[in-house]
Amino acid sequence: MTKLKNKVNAKSESDDVNTSQTLKTPENYRKALSKMKANIVKEKLVLDPCKDKELDKGINVISVSYEYAQDPQKKDFMTAKSPLTGKTVHRYNHIPQSKEDLEKRYEMINVLAKETFCAQRCVGSDALYALFMGTFLVEQDKTLNASYHKRFIEYLKYVQEKDIAPAGAVTDAKGDRSVSPAEQIEKDSYVHIVKKTDQGIYVSGVKSPITMGPYAEEICVLPGRQFAEHEKDFAVAFAVPGDAEGITRFVLSPEIKALEGEYSACHGKKYLNKEAMIVFENVFVPWERVFLCGEHQYAGRYADFFATVHRFSYCACKPSVFDLLAGAAALISEYNGTEGKYLFSDSKGKLFEFLKNSDMIKGMGQSAIKFAKQTESGAILPDPKYANLGKFISGEQFPKAISILQDMAGNLPVSLPHENLLKDKEYGPKVKKVFARKEGITPEAHYRLNELIRTIAASDEGGLLQFGTRHGGGTVEVEKATIYTQNLKKLQVCKKMAKKQAGIEGK
Ligand code: SF4
């Protein structure tokens, strides 16, 4: 363990984390980021992510997870006792062992998403969770003589001790989808092993888009799919410091800007989601941090574990997002006086859509916990079918929910005058006329609510949210395939039932 620390991240040794108290403060998280070697590129090199207006708002999101872990009211679900060290650690760095652990993980993500839309930290945490189960599987295979699980446990203890929030890098750039990884013109379309030495491996390739990539102290890399034998160089999993030699992190969607108005919504003004394209160029990874190296037959299992646990995380965050949509929709119809039946429209029927989706996704999450299975590794795995169903429902229903919100809000969210005009002595009284509604609802409140709806439904950030709900954690097709495959056994039973009812048993 000491060797690992000295070799791979000497910088972390000097941070201010009290070793008797493994929980990091938001301030120490920021300090750790500021000390990292500059390798983040926006339009040009960013010297300190904490001093960049947009990245700072992404850092605020991760800071909430650190802040909540210090809150006595939230400690029960934000922290856990590590079975590895006996110490209290952040729940994001704890591998769930029981249904109770899954319940608390669910609550943590749900509560964080209520505040931030997207907690962001789930991806790296789910990468740790998947690596725990994946490395155990490989180590059990006696034909391989691999000790990845023991190595990973040491790495996990390090992450727990330093309370690091790693990014999880799973999705490769993928290149031409019609040909295999080995046939790509650009070999770096998939992260792969370039060279092996006695000290470790060298890797190259591109992972993108990576959630919280620009403000992660560590990056955990996993394969995103199965590979054939001749593609074994792509079957690689490892962890590196975010500022390791040879890494460049490009900030994605630079057009998504921080909002600065007094009436701007919390999301945009205080929080933002920032993703990175991470380019690895001959990055050295010491053996202590290599968790899969060419065992191609297990790459798909790593990817599957990640997909299941991350889709379970979606089941926890998305009910909060649908609840926010429901709240905004209910309020705007109250403000506009369009509650109840209005011509052909029924606001209750529309609100039902949001509430139903929230409850259905929550139900899938709860079912994934109920039918979770203990794995030999000691970790518990949420039920894949229900985890996928929850994610599938959220991806399928989100665009419809946005459309209903647009319908209920009318055109005002995208027809707002500059907020400063409301405060202007001369123009204020004129501009406020457009916001006049019932008594008791101030023009400022009405403006703010419309601005929130604009941010959700008609901003760059809202677009990112819509794409993320669709594609984050895998495509709808993969989810469908998983749900279908999980139902194959049942389909045989269904056919028997139908045969019995039709009187064609044995035929
Ligand atoms: Fe977590 Fe949901 Fe954000 Fe994914 S989309 S990182 S599951 S909060």
Side-chain angles (χ1 to χ4, degrees):
M1 183 65 181
T2 310
K3 193 173 153 208
L4 175 76
K5 284 188 218 163
N6 290 343
K7 246 184 160 172
V8 297
N9 200 1
K11 191 187 289 180
S12 295
E13 286 290 330
S14 61
D15 77 16
D16 302 338
V17 180
N18 178 344
T19 45
S20 67
Q21 154 69 289
T22 60
L23 299 173
K24 209 175 209 157
T25 60
E27 294 71 34
N28 281 338
Y29 164 57
R30 282 178 177 277
K31 275 188 199 167
L33 293 180
S34 293
K35 281 188 212 162
M36 292 175 81
K37 198 182 84 192
N39 67 356
I40 305 160
V41 182
K42 219 167 131 185
E43 207 177 343
K44 49 188 184 183
L45 190 68
V46 175
L47 296 178
D48 180 350
C50 301
K51 294 193 176 136
D52 177 275
K53 214 166 32 176
E54 274 81 36
L55 296 181
D56 179 61
K57 302 208 181 306
I59 293 165
N60 280 346
V61 173
I62 307 302
S63 297
V64 177
S65 70
Y66 284 118
E67 187 194 316
Y68 281 13
Q70 312 265 345
D71 181 344
Q73 306 287 319
K74 300 185 177 79
K75 260 185 183 297
D76 180 51
F77 62 86
M78 289 301 302
T79 63
K81 190 173 174 186
S82 167
L84 304 174
T85 62
K87 290 185 183 174
T88 297
V89 297
H90 201 291
R91 188 166 292 280
Y92 266 131
N93 290 338
H94 169 64
I95 308 300
Q97 317 275 302
S98 63
K99 291 186 181 176
E100 192 191 346
D101 269 346
L102 286 178
E103 291 283 2
K104 289 183 178 175
R105 187 177 181 85
Y106 187 97
E107 189 176 359
M108 169 181 71
I109 297 170
N110 186 269
V111 167
L112 286 169
K114 274 188 178 35
E115 170 69 17
T116 61
F117 269 27
C118 169
Q120 298 186 37
R121 201 169 158 179
C122 320
V123 188
S125 172
D126 290 335
L128 295 173
Y129 195 172
L131 283 169
F132 184 89
M133 292 182 283
T135 53
F136 181 85
L137 268 190
V138 185
E139 198 159 305
Q140 290 300 100
D141 186 336
K142 297 299 170 215
T143 64
L144 295 173
N145 194 25
S147 53
Y148 298 139
H149 194 60
K150 287 183 199 76
R151 281 180 198 170
F152 179 71
I153 294 290
E154 291 308 307
Y155 176 70
L156 183 60
K157 283 199 245 174
Y158 167 74
V159 167
Q160 289 182 342
E161 190 73 28
K162 297 287 177 191
D163 200 2
I164 287 167
V170 183
T171 311
D172 292 277
K174 294 189 202 154
D176 179 352
R177 271 62 170 173
S178 69
V179 297
S180 73
E183 291 165 334
Q184 297 292 332
I185 297 169
E186 171 60 74
K187 200 176 179 192
D188 284 352
S189 293
Y190 286 81
V191 166
H192 57 279
I193 303 157
V194 175
K195 190 168 81 177
K196 290 183 198 171
T197 69
D198 289 347
Q199 283 72 44
I201 60 172
Y202 287 79
V203 292
S204 285
V206 179
K207 291 276 187 184
S208 181
I210 305 306
T211 302
M212 71 168 282
Y215 32 88
E217 288 179 76
E218 288 274 326
I219 303 166
C220 292
V221 176
L222 268 85
R225 52 170 283 173
Q226 181 67 298
F227 295 106
E229 215 209 320
H230 69 284
E231 296 167 332
K232 63 181 181 205
D233 284 348
F234 299 102
V236 64
F238 57 89
V240 278
D243 59 353
E245 193 65 37
I247 289 182
T248 313
R249 294 180 282 174
F250 293 94
V251 178
L252 302 179
S253 304
E255 73 284 1
I256 299 180
K257 301 280 184 208
L259 300 174
E260 288 167 351
E262 190 193 340
Y263 301 159
S264 295
C266 190
H267 199 78
K269 188 173 175 183
K270 187 172 177 193
Y271 306 124
L272 268 185
N273 286 13
K274 282 291 168 193
E275 314 244 334
M277 171 172 106
I278 304 181
V279 179
F280 298 84
E281 287 171 302
N282 278 313
V283 176
F284 172 66
V285 188
W287 283 115
E288 300 95 296
R289 285 175 163 240
V290 177
F291 309 128
L292 188 74
C293 184
E295 294 80 3
H296 66 98
Q297 62 276 44
Y298 286 98
R301 298 300 302 273
Y302 280 45
D304 283 349
F305 281 139
F306 175 80
T308 299
V309 298
H310 193 51
R311 287 169 197 165
F312 171 70
S313 297
Y314 261 79
C315 294
C317 72
K318 289 299 175 265
S320 294
V321 176
F322 277 96
D323 288 350
L324 175 69
L325 299 188
L331 279 174
I332 200 70
S333 53
E334 264 175 52
Y335 281 23
N336 285 336
T338 54
E339 292 166 281
K341 285 204 187 305
Y342 183 73
L343 296 177
F344 296 106
S345 170
D346 170 15
S347 63
K348 283 201 187 75
K350 289 176 181 170
L351 290 175
F352 166 79
E353 288 298 317
F354 301 109
L355 300 170
K356 165 207 79 178
N357 289 329
S358 168
D359 285 343
M360 278 201 307
I361 300 163
K362 187 172 178 193
M364 292 304 132
Q366 293 308 310
S367 299
I369 296 173
K370 182 173 187 318
F371 296 105
K373 289 213 169 63
Q374 213 67 48
T375 68
E376 271 187 65
S377 68
I380 190 164
L381 182 67
D383 183 85
K385 182 171 76 178
Y386 291 110
N388 273 274
L389 266 166
K391 166 69 176 53
F392 176 75
I393 293 167
S394 75
E396 195 187 41
Q397 296 298 317
F398 199 70
K400 290 185 198 164
I402 292 290
S403 163
I404 296 172
L405 181 62
Q406 288 167 342
D407 186 22
M408 293 177 83
N411 211 40
L412 196 53
V414 288
S415 314
L416 293 169
H418 198 290
E419 68 165 58
N420 285 348
L421 296 177
L422 270 78
K423 304 168 201 161
D424 189 272
K425 264 197 184 150
E426 183 188 347
Y427 300 121
K430 300 177 201 223
V431 168
K432 283 180 184 175
K433 288 180 194 294
V434 79
F435 299 100
R437 297 290 189 275
K438 296 174 194 175
E439 213 175 315
I441 298 165
T442 63
E444 288 77 13
H446 200 205
Y447 189 108
R448 280 176 183 266
L449 181 61
N450 277 284
E451 175 58 5
L452 169 68
I453 295 172
R454 186 196 69 78
T455 308
I456 297 170
S459 69
D460 289 335
E461 181 65 12
L464 183 83
L465 186 68
Q466 290 167 45
F467 267 81
T469 305
R470 193 84 184 158
H471 295 292
T475 63
V476 175
E477 282 67 33
V478 179
E479 287 151 18
K480 275 189 190 167
T482 311
I483 295 161
Y484 185 81
T485 316
Q486 292 282 327
N487 270 311
L488 279 179
K489 248 196 208 156
K490 189 172 120 181
L491 201 55
Q492 296 312 317
V493 179
C494 299
K495 281 184 353 197
K496 269 192 193 152
M497 275 170 65
K499 280 186 171 182
K500 189 175 170 203
Q501 290 292 331
I504 52 174
E505 276 171 295
K507 298 197 169 84

